[in-house]
Amino acid sequence: ETGVTQTPRHLVMGMTNKKSLKCEQHLGHNAMYWYKQSAKKPLELMFVYNFKEQTENNSVPSRFSPECPNSSHLFLHLHTLQPEDSALYLCASSPNDEAPGGARNDEQYFGPGTRLTVT
Amino acid sequence: KNQVEQSPQSLIILEGKNCTLQCNYTVSPFSNLRWYKQDTGRGPVSLTIMTFSENTKSNGRYTATLDADTKQSSLHITASQLSDSASYICVVSPGYSSASKIIFGSGTRLSIRP
């Protein structure tokens, strides 16, 4: 266990549905991240929250909407998705995304992911 | 452009054999390099981390090497076990950067056959 949990682990949704992914970290970290992982491609950073403030939106379509109510919880709200959005969605946390330069500061701890299938 | 390239893309070996995975990067300036193991349907888990001054790091049967001059790293797995079947991802962190700026390779998919 990495200290980062994600629910649900699997999700199948139609293109007109609305669903949410949840992530919770028990590590006392202040930064949380959403990544998309498609087959044979590197992890793609989607959103970054540092101390509950969104600090990065990596040109993600508006059908993905993040929410970070506190430093321990992160949500990804999904609506009107496309089949190409099917992927493994990973949540991660780190101590502080604005603390540069150093192995201790930039280590990320990943959750188990949500396998999303859009039909 | 900062990039991380891994080879091979996939590899199949027999249980008990050794193997070596490669990672080449063009990231500059350089802070550290990590190898992650990702089991199917799970999130990545860190295996080793090396900074500029370190050229080898071991974690059980896993040994990572780093040549900062040629910007190459390798992950050597000794006496492979079925549980080693996973994707192995090389991740490089630019100097003076934050966690959101790290660069991921595409991974090597390793399958261990009995």
Side-chain angles (χ1 to χ4, degrees):
Chain A
E1 292 296 328
T2 61
V4 181
T5 59
Q6 290 187 243
T7 56
R9 295 295 312 281
H10 301 272
L11 178 62
V12 179
M13 58 186 290
M15 289 190 285
T16 58
N17 292 159
K18 290 184 180 181
K19 297 287 184 182
S20 295
L21 310 185
K22 179 182 176 182
C23 175
E24 183 174 0
Q25 58 96 0
H26 310 274
L27 301 169
H29 288 166
N30 295 298
M32 296 187 77
Y33 312 79
W34 279 117
Y35 286 91
K36 176 183 179 183
Q37 187 177 34
S38 304
K40 299 183 181 179
K41 293 174 67 175
L43 272 69
E44 301 172 48
L45 180 65
M46 300 175 71
F47 301 104
V48 180
Y49 279 83
N50 204 45
F51 293 92
K52 301 189 298 178
E53 297 297 321
Q54 184 175 312
T55 58
E56 185 145 353
N57 175 338
N58 207 18
S59 301
V60 180
S62 60
R63 57 185 184 269
F64 295 91
S65 175
E67 178 190 1
C68 187
N70 54 62
S71 292
S72 299
H73 294 84
L74 185 64
F75 296 89
L76 188 61
H77 303 300
L78 316 171
H79 63 97
T80 59
L81 294 190
Q82 304 298 311
E84 60 264 29
D85 297 322
S86 298
L88 181 67
Y89 288 84
L90 292 164
C91 173
S93 71
S94 76
N96 179 351
D97 197 60
E98 290 179 355
R104 298 296 176 196
N105 293 328
D106 63 12
E107 177 155 14
Q108 295 184 336
Y109 294 78
F110 288 86
T114 294
R115 173 64 64 184
L116 174 66
T117 303
V118 181
T119 61
Chain B
K1 181 181 177 184
N2 288 335
Q3 285 187 315
V4 176
E5 301 286 344
Q6 292 187 244
S7 62
Q9 193 173 79
S10 62
L11 181 63
I12 301 173
I13 64 172
L14 293 176
E15 185 179 11
K17 299 295 185 182
N18 304 334
C19 67
T20 300
L21 314 181
Q22 299 291 339
C23 173
N24 297 336
Y25 61 93
T26 58
V27 178
S28 182
F30 172 85
S31 175
N32 61 75
L33 183 148
R34 288 189 173 87
W35 282 93
Y36 280 88
K37 178 186 179 187
Q38 184 177 18
D39 292 315
T40 301
R42 309 288 297 183
V45 176
S46 180
L47 287 175
T48 64
I49 178 172
M50 290 176 290
T51 58
F52 185 87
S53 59
E54 298 173 296
N55 56 23
T56 187
K57 186 68 71 74
S58 291
N59 178 356
R61 294 178 296 102
Y62 301 99
T63 300
T65 64
L66 173 66
D67 185 333
D69 292 330
T70 61
K71 298 187 177 181
Q72 296 180 322
S73 177
S74 66
L75 181 68
H76 186 74
I77 304 175
T78 304
S80 62
Q81 300 176 358
L82 297 178
S83 59
D84 294 329
S85 294
S87 288
Y88 292 84
I89 304 173
C90 177
V91 181
V92 180
S93 178
Y96 308 107
S97 71
S98 54
S100 57
K101 301 297 187 289
I102 63 176
I103 300 162
F104 292 84
S106 299
T108 292
R109 177 70 200 172
L110 176 64
S111 297
I112 310 298
R113 298 290 167 82

